[in-house]
Amino acid sequence: MKRLDVAVIGAGFIARTHIPAWIALGARIRIFSTDDQAALLAEEFGLTETACLEEALDGASVADICTPTTTHRGIALAAFAAGVDVLCEKPLALTPADALEMAEAAHKAGRRLYPGHVVRFFPAYARLRSTIESGVLGRPAVARFTRTGRYPTWSPWFADTALSGGIVTDQMLHDMDIARWLFGEVVSIHATQRGHLTTHASDHPVATGSATLTHDSGVISQVLGVWGPPATPFRYTFHVAGSNGTLTHDSLAHPSLRVTGAAGAEPGAVPTGDFGEDPFTAQIREFATAFQGGPAPRVNALDGVAAVEIAAAARRSAATGLSVAVHDAAPRTPTEGSPR
C-alpha cells in the first residue's frame, strides 16, 4: 500500500496517543499546533513541524484532527478543500448541524471522514458486540454502561460546556455511541448532569452525568459518567441482560468478560487473556487501511453525526428535565453505508 503522509493537527493529549500508532504504521508525519507544544512533540517523536494549517495540509493524504471540539469543523472543511481525508477526534462537533456539514462536505469532495470513536476498538466492547451478534444472550433487553476518570483539568476548555459540551458530550458520548452500535437508533433520551459544569469551582472539580436511552429496537440502555478528583482511577463497566442471560465487564475487576446464565454456556465460561492490540493502534490501523482503499472501518461519518445528535439531545434533556426525542439528522449517502 502507498505510504501515508499524515498531518497531525493539535499537540495535546490525544495527539500524543495517535502519533505512536501512525509511526508504527510507517506514516510520514508533520504536525501543526497554535501553541508551542508542536515543537516539543516534533522533537520527541522526530516529526516535521509546520508553520500553519495550510502548510500542514499541503501534500498530506490524511489530516488527524486532535484539537478542541469547536475547531473541528473549520479544520475538516479546510482539509476536504485541500483534497485530504480526515480522522477527527470525537465528537465531530458540538452541534448536529456542524457535524452533518462536515459529513456532507466530505461526501461532496469525495474524501473520507472517520470519527475517533476509539471505544469501539476496545477489546471488551468488540467482544461484547460479537457476543450479542452470536445470539448467546438471546434478545437484548436492558444495558448499563459506566465510565469514570479524573476531571480533565489539563486543558481548561473541558470545563466550559460552550467549548466541550461538558461531561455528556465529551465523555458520555463514547458509551452512547456504543449503545447505538449495539442496539440500534436512539428514539428518545432522558439525561441529567451535576457538578462543576462551567468553571473549576475548586482545585478538585467533580462532574457526573446520567442518560437513559430508548432504542427503536425496544432495548433500554443507561449511560453513567463521572469526572472525579485527580486520584480517580480510570474505569469502565457494562452489564447487558438478554432473554438467555447476562454479560458483564469491569475493567478494574477482571480483564475479560463474564457470562452468567446464558443458554448452553458453562457457569463462568469466560474467554480470558489479551483480546487484541492497543485500541488507538487498532483504530488507526483500521482507518489507515480504509484510507488506502481497503475495507470500510467499523465507524463512519454518519455514526459521528448520530453520536453528536444523541449528545445534543441529552444536553437539552439535562437542561429541561424532560425526555427529548432524537431524530436522525443524517440522511445516508451511497458511499457511507450502514451506521451499524
Side-chain angles (χ1 to χ4, degrees), residues 201-261:
S202 70
D203 292 335
H204 301 103
V206 173
T208 64
S210 172
T212 301
L213 289 63
T214 301
H215 299 264
D216 61 0
S217 61
V219 175
I220 303 296
S221 60
Q222 184 184 33
V223 174
L224 302 174
V226 176
W227 278 344
T232 303
F234 178 65
R235 179 190 184 193
Y236 54 87
T237 74
F238 56 72
H239 181 102
V240 179
S243 56
N244 289 344
T246 63
L247 188 152
T248 64
H249 178 72
D250 184 331
S251 64
L252 292 186
H254 47 77
S256 57
L257 303 180
R258 183 173 303 280
V259 181
T260 59

Side-chain angles (χ1 to χ4, degrees), residues 10 40 47 68 73 83 134 143 159-161 174 182 225 239 256 260 271 315 324 340:
L40 297 177
L47 315 179
R73 172 186 168 276
S134 75
D160 187 342
T161 55
H174 274 307
L182 297 174
H239 181 102
S256 57
T260 59
R315 293 200 307 273
V324 172
R340 291 191 68 201

